[in-house]
């Protein structure tokens, strides 16, 4: 874990009774930037309701939308474990009591940063409940630790965009160095989640740990081209740069109908198409919502014809990250 040096005090006058937070799903890798790029979307996302209670400690009241897959034990649940860690580093673990309701609005193991959205929602919520003693930058190492607890690897390409919003570059993983990149206003993601389970751990184990120099040259050309395209608002450059010659050829075999879905998306006018995170969700990157909508609808139709159920989401890039929601709305 990145060493966390926290020199913050909680002002007990600022503590709230309860907060409700939404944190967004994310598309890690952004097709060509394995483990270093990612962006947030407006939907789906997860929600945390957090209540201050008299008895010190952190407890999970309930989890909805997980089909019973996530632990209610506060030491084993990633969200509560991260909240406990933060309270402990703030020196208030023995004095503050909180209870958590986690509401999952997205599938687990979808490649949409499901665990990251929950972790970020939980950490943003405890910080808000305590009167926001930490900046987002200070919350980031706790989010990365949550990712490590959830999937055994502390890659930040889901938690960084989920917390910071927009498109993020993880320039350094060991010593965290996160760079926010510009977001062209018409950039949309058409996401399709085919209902097959691809755990991140399995999808990572498949990948070879050596690459050919000629492939690496193509890939870093693409990453550099994508970054330039984001700065220049150049959708054609973004599209032709979002190509993955390193990871996609291996992971695509885990995703049924991958190449047919790609053909459909590109035929509909998508700028690019690829795997979201470690899959099985796929993403059609589009200029404007219309192309993304048509591409996801046609892909869904194709999957149905093969008797594969799917969810679809169409979203602009989410630029704000987590947000406070009205508690009673
Ligand atoms: N960069 C990670 C991977 C993201 O592709 O394995 C996991 O969601």
């Amino acid at each position: 874990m990145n060493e966390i040096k926290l020199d913050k005090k909680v002002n007990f006058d600022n503590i709230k009774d309860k907060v409700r937070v939404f944190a967004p799903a994310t598309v890690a890798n952004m097709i060509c930037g394995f483990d270093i790029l990612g962006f947030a979307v407006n939907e789906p996302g997860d929600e945390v309701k957090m209540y201050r209670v008299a008895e010190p400690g952190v407890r999970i009241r309930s989890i909805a939308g997980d089909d019973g897959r996530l632990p209610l034990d506060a030491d084993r649940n990633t969200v509560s474990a991260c909240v406990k860690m933060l309270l402990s580093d703030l020196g208030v673990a023995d004095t503050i009591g909180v209870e958590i309701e986690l509401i999952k609005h997205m599938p687990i193991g979808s490649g949409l940063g499901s665990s990251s959205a929950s972790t970020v929602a939980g950490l943003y919520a405890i910080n808000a409940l305590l009167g926001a003693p930490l900046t987002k930058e200070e919350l980031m190492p706790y989010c990365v630790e949550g990712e490590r607890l959830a999937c055994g690897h502390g890659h930040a390409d889901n938690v960084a965009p989920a917390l910071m919003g927009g498109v993020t570059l993880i320039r350094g993983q060991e010593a965290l160095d996160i760079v926010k990149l510009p977001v062209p206003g018409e950039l949309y993601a058409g996401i399709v989640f085919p209902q097959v389970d691809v755990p991140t751990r399995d999808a990572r184990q498949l990948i070879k740990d050596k690459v050919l120099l000629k492939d690496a040259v193509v890939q870093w050309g693409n990453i550099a081209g994508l970054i330039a395209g984001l700065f220049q608002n150049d959708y054609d450059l973004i599209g032709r740069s979002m190509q993955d010659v390193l990871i996609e050829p291996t992971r695509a075999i885990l995703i049924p109908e991958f190449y047919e879905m790609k053909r459909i998306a590109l035929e509909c006018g998508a700028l690019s198409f690829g795997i979201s995170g470690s899959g099985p969700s796929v993403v059609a990157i589009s200029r404007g919502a219309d192309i993304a909508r048509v591409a996801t609808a046609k892909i869904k139709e194709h999957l149905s014809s093969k008797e594969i159920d799917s969810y679809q989401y169409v979203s602009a890039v989410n630029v704000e990250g987590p947000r406070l929601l009205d508690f009673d709305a």
Side-chain angles (χ1 to χ4, degrees), residues 28-29 34-35 155 157-158 200 204 251 277-278:
N29 301 339
F34 178 69
D35 276 0
H155 47 254
D157 53 349
N158 287 116
T200 300
R204 289 189 82 83
R251 281 186 170 168
S278 56

Side-chain angles (χ1 to χ4, degrees), residues 257-309:
E257 300 299 311
F258 179 82
Y259 290 104
E260 188 54 20
M261 292 192 281
K262 185 173 204 166
R263 191 193 62 73
I264 294 169
L266 297 178
E267 209 172 86
C268 290
L271 298 168
S272 174
F273 177 89
I275 302 171
S276 173
S278 56
S281 289
V282 290
V283 59
I285 303 292
S286 310
R287 181 171 191 173
D290 290 347
I291 291 175
R293 242 178 245 125
V294 173
T296 50
K298 289 205 166 156
I299 290 172
K300 187 177 174 60
E301 202 178 291
H302 174 73
L303 290 175
S304 298
S305 77
K306 301 285 171 187
E307 298 185 344
I308 301 167
D309 286 336

Side-chain angles (χ1 to χ4, degrees), residues 148-166:
R148 194 188 313 279
L149 292 174
C151 57
H153 185 277
H155 47 254
D157 53 349
N158 287 116
V159 283
L163 181 64
M164 308 305 286

Side-chain angles (χ1 to χ4, degrees), residues 214-233:
K214 73 174 178 52
D215 291 338
V217 171
V218 173
Q219 196 90 353
W220 58 56
N222 282 339
I223 294 167
L226 171 56
I227 307 286
L230 294 174
F231 272 93
Q232 293 168 7
N233 239 14

Side-chain angles (χ1 to χ4, degrees), residues 184-206:
E186 293 172 76
L187 205 58
Y188 272 74
I191 295 169
V192 178
F193 167 44
Q195 297 214 6
V196 290
D197 208 10
V198 178
T200 300
R201 271 177 220 261
D202 298 357
R204 289 189 82 83
Q205 274 164 7
L206 261 189

